[in-house]
Amino acid sequence: MSGKNAYDILQERGFIEQITDEEPIKDLLGNKSITCYIGFDPTASSLHIGSLVPIMSLVHMQRCGHQPLALVGGGTALIGDPSGKTEMRRILTREEIDINAEAIKNQLSRYLNFGEGKAILLNNADWLANLNYIEFLRDIGRCFSVNRMLAAESYRMRMEKGLSFIEFNYMLLQSYDFYYLSKNYNCVLEMGGNDQWGNIVAGIDLTRRLEEKKVYGMTFPLLATSQGHKMGKTEKGTVWLDADLTTPYEYFQYWINTEDADVKRFLALFTLLPMEEINETARLLDAELNMAKAVLAFEATKITHGQEAAVSAWAAAVSNFGLKPVSPSLFPSSVIPRTVAAVDMSAIPTVEKIREEFVSGFPAFELFHAVDLCATRSEARRLIQQGGAYVNDRQVKTFDENIGSGDIIDNEIHLRKGKKQHILIKVSQ
RNA sequence: GGAGGGGUUCCCGAGUGGUCAAAGGGAGCAGACUGUAAAUCUGCCGGCGAAGCCUACGGAGGUUCAAGUCCUCCCCCCUCCA
């Protein structure tokens, strides 16, 4: 282990937004091995990029010898956290949540080593689902002042729009989690996005009251791009961590399209490269920054999808965009390939088709739709009309241009939407 | 329980009988310019093989040649009062 402790690392990499007690936390992270927890909501079957900051913070914790405790909120998801939301969200069924919780468990294992006490994975449904209402009110509820709760930012925001009682209880349950984990797993630090500040502080208070035990909290900045766009999660194009939902190539492309102003910050947050190397990005000018973006994309893809997937995504980008190899003097710790190896299109999403289907061929717009490059035929038609559709790098001129056997090259047809979205059709007999 | 105000296309938000697939903004997509960035400019932005048709304005009915717009009932949300 290097001279830097977990606190220093999180601090210099930009993970820390707020902490409850600076000195004690520094001391804790520097001189002891502690258990720290973060909750993950199983509201979808996969986590997305928005959860990456918390995940990476746990990765750093583990690397520094602390014990991360990942808590899947199977119980709290039944309630729904109002924090940071302007409206109540759909309440999922128990079954949906269980399925999601399981998937998220698996996903987290890709980042953290859950072996032999190195990290813990729990589901709060295990203790929340069986709580007795009256008992809970008497033991836990009495510790909460409604007046204080209403002052919390997360609730205040909702006072105009309305807040249902079920959501109002969320804070109590999350607080109970912290208390429970502190008591049973000796967890002393809860971390989370900055919107969790109120919930975290409430948990600390509760633990102090019930256990007379001092525990701590830390929050991460809520990431938006420099342009103010939400990270990863847009209604349509969420960037998932699951390779089946967002291919490694798409994932790589997401990162390489990072805005200039975000490159350095993202390298610090989403890769494990040493800060000394990351700081070098400041010296890169204009187009040179693309090398830093390539490293960011490569390293981020490697962490989520593995080395092999990262290399093929990189190779595909090289072949499709003429991405320049990264000079060996930059980011020496990165294992990104430094030379253009054999061109490899394998990372581009592919679709299988049978040769027979191409005998009569498809109108171009049909094909773009069939292959999911366009959500509807109308969209495909517009795309072609606007000159954004390419077959084997040849622009499609009319929407119903026939794409048939003649377009098959080496059993493949390469379709492209705009500059960045590719699909390879593999034609079999 | 009473009174009032609302539910519009991915989001915000106009629209009070035809000219409404529905203003405007945001997001998104494509094009130009570039560095696969940003900014800017342009086009697109419910679906369907053109015209045209179909589906849409919380839900169900009704009035009308014609309804997002009027009427009835219902559901949901908000505010004030109790």
Side-chain angles (χ1 to χ4, degrees):
Chain A
M1 214 185 293
S2 74
K4 285 178 189 163
N5 67 43
Y7 185 87
D8 300 330
I9 290 173
L10 292 178
Q11 170 80 335
E12 74 177 356
R13 287 186 167 262
F15 279 90
I16 301 179
E17 175 86 13
Q18 291 192 79
I19 47 176
T20 49
D21 308 82
E22 185 164 343
E23 288 310 320
I25 290 177
K26 274 186 183 167
D27 180 56
L28 219 52
L29 294 185
N31 302 319
K32 303 190 177 67
S33 174
I34 62 154
T35 300
C36 54
Y37 109 86
I38 298 182
F40 295 92
D41 258 345
T43 39
S45 66
S46 167
L47 297 171
H48 55 83
I49 281 186
S51 296
L52 223 40
V53 167
I55 292 173
M56 291 305 290
S57 78
L58 291 182
V59 170
H60 286 295
M61 284 296 207
Q62 186 166 57
R63 284 159 62 98
C64 291
H66 298 293
Q67 183 187 46
L69 195 165
L71 179 67
V72 176
T76 27
L78 291 165
I79 302 298
D81 183 6
S83 304
K85 303 192 178 55
T86 49
E87 283 183 33
M88 185 163 157
R89 66 184 169 202
R90 193 171 79 87
I91 294 180
L92 300 169
T93 67
R94 185 69 200 264
E95 291 70 37
E96 289 174 300
I97 289 169
D98 286 346
I99 290 168
N100 292 344
E102 198 51 38
I104 284 165
K105 267 188 175 181
N106 292 331
Q107 205 156 47
L108 286 170
S109 331
R110 294 211 310 267
Y111 301 87
L112 297 167
N113 176 0
F114 285 100
E116 24 174 327
K118 287 196 162 65
I120 306 177
L121 194 56
L122 298 172
N123 185 339
N124 64 11
D126 293 342
W127 57 85
L128 292 183
N130 298 318
L131 284 175
N132 175 295
Y133 190 58
I134 300 296
E135 263 175 45
F136 184 79
L137 286 180
R138 288 173 56 108
D139 298 341
I140 310 300
R142 71 180 167 83
C143 297
F144 284 80
S145 147
V146 171
N147 312 47
R148 286 241 312 278
M149 286 173 74
L150 290 177
E153 179 62 29
S154 52
Y155 291 127
R156 218 169 45 202
M157 261 178 65
R158 291 288 297 275
M159 293 314 283
E160 277 190 22
K161 268 286 191 178
L163 176 70
S164 76
F165 187 67
I166 183 172
E167 293 175 289
F168 192 57
N169 280 272
Y170 189 89
M171 183 185 268
L172 275 73
L173 294 177
Q174 184 166 335
S175 299
Y176 183 79
D177 281 344
F178 197 4
Y179 155 73
Y180 182 92
L181 295 174
S182 144
K183 187 175 175 182
N184 297 294
Y185 293 87
N186 198 30
C187 172
V188 294
L189 176 66
E190 175 175 3
M191 307 188 290
N194 203 235
D195 55 344
Q196 294 300 311
W197 182 253
N199 292 338
I200 292 173
V201 170
I204 292 171
D205 282 346
L206 180 67
T207 308
R208 193 192 57 237
R209 281 171 171 244
L210 296 179
E211 289 284 285
E212 292 179 359
K213 192 167 155 193
K214 179 79 177 150
V215 291
Y216 305 92
M218 176 189 292
T219 59
F220 312 123
L222 291 179
L223 275 201
T225 70
S226 301
Q227 294 303 307
H229 298 316
K230 255 189 283 179
M231 283 286 294
K233 185 140 192 173
T234 56
E235 294 309 321
K236 253 174 75 182
T238 300
V239 183
W240 302 99
L241 303 184
D242 184 330
D244 291 333
L245 297 173
T246 299
T247 66
Y249 175 71
E250 288 164 339
Y251 192 79
F252 183 96
Q253 284 297 316
Y254 175 83
W255 289 109
I256 208 161
N257 283 312
T258 297
E259 295 162 26
D260 285 9
D262 295 321
V263 175
K264 189 182 155 193
R265 189 164 58 119
F266 286 2
L267 278 164
L269 288 169
F270 302 115
T271 76
L272 295 170
L273 299 174
M275 280 310 285
E276 299 77 57
E277 295 179 19
I278 292 172
N279 286 328
E280 293 292 299
T281 20
R283 297 217 324 267
L284 298 177
L285 294 172
D286 304 326
E288 284 178 330
L289 255 181
N290 283 344
M291 287 197 262
K293 290 181 189 180
V295 171
L296 168 63
F298 179 83
E299 292 294 323
T301 306
K302 190 184 91 180
I303 289 170
T304 296
H305 296 296
Q307 168 95 13
E308 203 176 310
V311 171
S312 8
W314 171 81
V318 167
S319 114
N320 285 315
F321 298 105
L323 183 67
K324 302 275 189 305
V326 177
S327 100
S329 59
L330 286 169
F331 306 101
S333 301
S334 172
V335 292
I336 188 171
R338 305 287 171 163
T339 56
V340 181
V343 167
D344 175 7
M345 306 271 271
S346 65
I348 297 182
T350 59
V351 169
E352 304 269 335
K353 290 264 179 214
I354 303 170
R355 182 162 233 110
E356 207 183 323
E357 297 182 76
F358 286 96
V359 172
S360 53
F362 297 91
F365 74 99
E366 286 276 10
L367 193 57
F368 275 78
H369 170 245
V371 111
D372 264 352
L373 227 32
C374 298
T376 63
R377 292 168 216 277
S378 300
E379 190 190 316
R381 209 172 276 175
R382 273 178 237 126
L383 175 77
I384 294 168
Q385 270 157 16
Q386 299 189 114
Y390 296 83
V391 173
N392 296 327
D393 287 321
R394 175 178 51 84
Q395 189 176 47
V396 181
K397 293 283 195 281
T398 54
F399 78 91
D400 57 353
E401 188 172 315
N402 190 277
I403 310 298
S405 321
D407 295 293
I408 300 172
I409 302 173
D410 291 339
N411 296 320
E412 291 176 347
I413 300 178
H414 177 198
L415 300 185
R416 176 154 65 89
K417 175 188 181 187
K419 287 175 188 157
K420 302 180 194 176
Q421 299 179 56
H422 302 259
I423 287 262
L424 209 53
I425 302 176
K426 298 236 190 243
V427 185
S428 52
Q429 291 313 317

